[in-house]
Amino acid sequence: MNAGKQHPRGGSPKEQRTLAGSEISQVPKTAGAGRRRRSLPHASRQRSRPLSEETLRTTPLHAAHVAAGARMVPFAGYSMPVQYKDGVLKEHLWTRAHAGLFDVSHMGQARLRGEAPLAAFQQVTPGDFKGLKAGKQRYSVLLNASGGIIDDLMAARPDDDGLFVVVNGACKDNDFKVMGEALAGQVEIERLEDRALMALQGPEACAVLTAHIPQAAQMVFMDSAALEGFGTDVLLSRSGYTGEDGYEISVPASEAERVWNMLLADERVRPIGLGARDSLRLEAGLPLYGHDVDETVSPIEADLGFAVSVKRREAADFPGAARILGELQGAATRKRVGLKVLEGAPAREGAEIADEDGKVIGIVTSGGFAPSLSAPIAMGFVPPAFASPGTRLRVIVRGKPQSAEVTAMPFVPHRYVRKL
C-alpha cells in the first residue's frame, strides 16, 4: 500500500503467462503458492502448504464469480477469481479508464474495542493512532520486536465503535493472534467474519457509487464512514490498491451478492480478477505482502517510512524502534526501488539484480509487464548506494543480463482525490 504516502490495498499468486505472447502478470496456479519468490495481488503470505479444493474457503461472492465465468484459483486459502472472460489486459485497462469491481472479502476485518483502543493499538504499530480523527483512515504496519513487518494494514474510525481494522487475507489469523496477545486486557477484538469487502476502483468509481451512496462524493482519500447504502449498512473508505481513485465497501455477507450485482448493473463497471489487481498495484508502486515485504523487512527498507509518524519517532516507543530509528539515520543496508527494464523479457520475482560490472547486489521481488506503459517494470531491493533514480543496473532473466534503470515510483501516477 502507498499514498502520498498512504496506501490502498491489494493481494498475490504465482507466476504464469496469461496473455497470448505477452507476460502480463503473476497469477496463482496452486494454493499456498510459494511465499517469497512467486506471486500476485496484495495480502499474500501464502506460505506453502498446498490446499485441496475441498479445504479452500469461499467468499460470499463465490457463486457470482462462477456464474460470470471467472477462472477460479486458490489464493490465500480461498477460491478466488483470477480473471473473467475479458482477460487480464482488458480488465487492467478498463480499471484505468472506467471502474473495476474487485472481491476482497478474503481480507480480515475486525473491530478493536476497549477503554482506549487507539492508544493501545500504538503498542504494535508505529503510527500516531491517538491522533487519528473520527472519519479518517490510516495505513500502517504491524511490527515484530525487531522492527520487521508482520503485515501491513488499514485502521479507521468510521464511527464511535472503536477501531475498524482491515488486514491481509493470508496473514489475518496470525495478525489477530499477535494483536490479541500483545493487547490482552486492553482491547477486545471482534473479527467481522459476517461481512464481505469489495473495492470499486477507477476514474468513474465516484460517479457510480454516488448513485447509491450520495455521501461518497463528499469523501476524500483516506476518509472513512459508517453509512446506509444499497439498503443496508456500509463501512466505506475512499481508498484502494490500484493507484486509482476509488472505494472499499464493507457490507454484511448476506447482502454482498445483491450489492455486487447492483454495481455491475452500471455499464461503467466490470468485475476484475486477481491478475489485473496485481498488475495495477505494481504500476502504482505498491508493495505486496509476502513478496516485497515480510517479517525480515523494516518499514524504512520497504520505503514505507511515512508509516512511522513523527511523534512516534520522537517517543521511540514502538516495536523495533532502535533498528528503525537507526535506519532513518542511514543504517539501512537495502532499499526497495522501482526498476524500468530497458531490454528483453520482464524480470519476475526472484530474478537477480546486478551492477553494471555484473556483481549481484539484489533481487527482484515483483515484476511484470505494465499494460499502461507497454513496458516491463519491476520492484526489488538493492543497497542504498544503488537506489537513486537514474542508476543503471542489470536484471538477470533466464541467465541473461538485461539493462535496467532505477526509477522513482509510482510507475503510473496515483489519482487519489485529496481535495474536493
Side-chain angles (χ1 to χ4, degrees):
M1 309 176 209
N2 163 20
K5 291 203 163 182
Q6 290 188 3
H7 282 228
R9 318 182 59 86
S12 179
K14 193 171 178 179
E15 196 166 321
Q16 177 178 324
R17 301 182 183 209
T18 54
L19 296 179
S22 68
E23 296 176 316
I24 189 174
S25 176
Q26 303 167 324
V27 294
K29 248 179 183 174
T30 58
R35 168 189 184 272
R36 212 169 203 270
R37 298 286 165 248
R38 312 184 174 261
S39 314
L40 182 125
H42 191 50
S44 27
R45 196 164 48 168
Q46 305 186 65
R47 268 180 183 148
S48 60
R49 271 194 336 252
L51 297 173
S52 69
E53 290 295 327
E54 292 71 30
T55 60
L56 288 177
R57 288 180 279 185
T58 57
T59 74
L61 294 166
H62 183 266
H65 300 318
V66 172
R71 184 158 73 84
M72 306 299 290
V73 298
F75 178 67
Y78 285 79
S79 175
M80 297 292 288
V82 69
Q83 67 179 73
Y84 297 83
K85 60 182 179 182
D86 284 346
V88 175
L89 177 58
K90 288 184 178 179
E91 291 175 18
H92 180 113
L93 296 175
W94 182 269
T95 303
R96 289 274 183 248
H98 303 285
L101 184 60
F102 304 76
D103 177 13
V104 286
S105 302
H106 63 294
M107 300 181 80
Q109 304 179 66
R111 288 282 195 174
L112 273 58
R113 304 184 179 95
E115 282 196 17
L118 280 67
F121 198 55
Q122 294 196 166
Q123 296 174 34
V124 291
T125 61
D128 175 19
F129 285 96
K130 286 195 288 189
L132 182 63
K133 297 178 181 177
K136 299 300 292 184
Q137 175 172 266
R138 186 161 289 163
Y139 173 85
S140 194
V141 291
L142 183 64
L143 292 172
N144 62 28
S146 59
I149 300 174
I150 296 172
D151 196 7
D152 59 351
L153 56 87
M154 289 287 198
R157 290 184 63 194
D159 50 28
D160 295 327
D161 191 14
L163 204 56
F164 173 56
V165 177
V166 179
V167 301
N168 287 310
C171 311
K172 60 186 179 183
D173 291 337
N174 183 58
D175 290 351
F176 293 130
K177 179 173 179 287
V178 169
M179 292 180 205
E181 291 175 352
L183 308 180
Q186 306 171 70
V187 164
E188 292 181 3
I189 300 174
E190 180 192 1
R191 294 181 61 166
L192 305 179
E193 304 284 5
D194 59 347
R195 297 191 74 85
L197 189 65
M198 305 169 213
L200 183 65
Q201 301 283 293
E204 294 182 332
C206 179
V208 170
L209 190 59
T210 301
H212 303 278
I213 307 177
Q215 303 96 313
Q218 301 307 312
M219 300 172 70
V220 295
F221 185 60
M222 300 303 272
D223 276 358
S224 175
L227 300 166
E228 292 290 324
F230 304 101
T232 188
D233 72 282
V234 178
L235 296 174
L236 185 69
S237 65
R238 196 160 188 171
S239 60
Y241 217 69
T242 61
E244 294 293 330
D245 179 31
Y247 300 83
E248 292 197 343
I249 307 162
S250 172
V251 298
S254 59
E255 302 288 347
E257 189 166 339
R258 186 177 63 82
V259 173
W260 177 265
N261 289 332
M262 288 176 74
L263 289 168
L264 287 179
D266 190 310
E267 64 181 8
R268 294 168 291 186
V269 182
R270 288 184 184 174
I272 309 297
L274 295 172
R277 189 170 169 220
D278 190 49
S279 53
L280 288 160
R281 73 90 196 166
L282 178 60
E283 286 185 347
L286 304 177
L288 176 63
Y289 198 87
H291 304 274
D292 309 296
V293 182
D294 63 28
E295 288 204 39
T296 71
V297 178
S298 77
I300 309 307
E301 292 173 325
D303 196 27
L304 300 174
F306 66 91
V308 185
S309 80
V310 173
K311 285 186 178 179
R312 303 299 303 282
R313 295 180 191 191
E314 293 171 352
D317 62 349
F318 50 87
R323 171 190 176 185
I324 290 171
L325 294 175
E327 290 179 348
L328 281 168
Q329 297 301 314
T333 59
R334 57 181 175 173
K335 183 181 178 184
R336 180 174 66 94
V337 298
L339 295 169
K340 290 181 183 175
V341 179
L342 303 176
E343 62 180 2
R348 303 289 184 178
E349 183 177 3
E352 293 178 325
I353 302 171
D355 64 16
E356 287 198 288
D357 295 327
K359 179 184 177 183
V360 174
I361 58 169
I363 194 161
V364 169
T365 50
S366 288
F369 184 79
S372 303
L373 304 173
S374 294
I377 57 174
M379 293 192 290
F381 284 84
V382 298
F386 295 88
S388 299
T391 302
R392 297 299 289 259
L393 298 172
R394 299 179 184 214
V395 289
I396 314 299
V397 179
R398 302 187 193 106
K400 180 183 176 183
Q402 299 177 179
S403 295
E405 181 178 292
V406 176
T407 185
M409 294 189 284
F411 298 97
V412 173
H414 293 166
R415 296 201 282 189
Y416 306 135
V417 175
R418 299 181 185 278
K419 291 182 181 179
L420 295 176

